[in-house]
Amino acid sequence: MPWLGSACGVCEYCIDGWETLCLKQVNPGMAVTGRTPNTSPPMPRTWLPCRTIVDPLDAAPLTCAGVTTYKAVKVSGVRSGQLVAVFGIGGLGHLALQYAKIAGASVVAVDVLRREA
């Protein structure tokens, strides 16, 4: 169950790619209370069944870290052939790197090496 259960899809925020600011958004746990993934009504714009496509354990990182980094790449407007620098290749950075590559960008990963004292 994603945080953003649904958005209207037609307001200025939705059209500009800022669905999380939609005034008509529905969020599980707030607007839809007392529900679980098995008892919640379907919200077809944002919910996709994945059990037959990918194992839920493999898909889990895409629901938070994946959405966060996908949004950053999407809002940046990166296009094929452009150069993207991803600072920090940890839990979020490695996903941002993959999304930027999927968008066709050349990607540079920047991180630090920690040395134990």
Side-chain angles (χ1 to χ4, degrees), residues 39-63:
T39 61
S40 293
M43 296 183 182
R45 287 189 181 179
T46 56
W47 291 22
L48 298 171
C50 65
R51 292 190 189 278
T52 59
I53 300 169
V54 64
D55 184 282
L57 290 175
D58 293 332
L62 302 178
T63 61

Side-chain angles (χ1 to χ4, degrees), residues 74-98:
K74 177 181 171 184
V75 170
S76 76
V78 66
R79 298 289 179 250
S80 183
Q82 291 182 319
L83 179 62
V84 171
V86 177
F87 290 83
I89 305 300
L92 295 163
H94 80 282
L95 291 167
L97 182 146
Q98 292 175 68

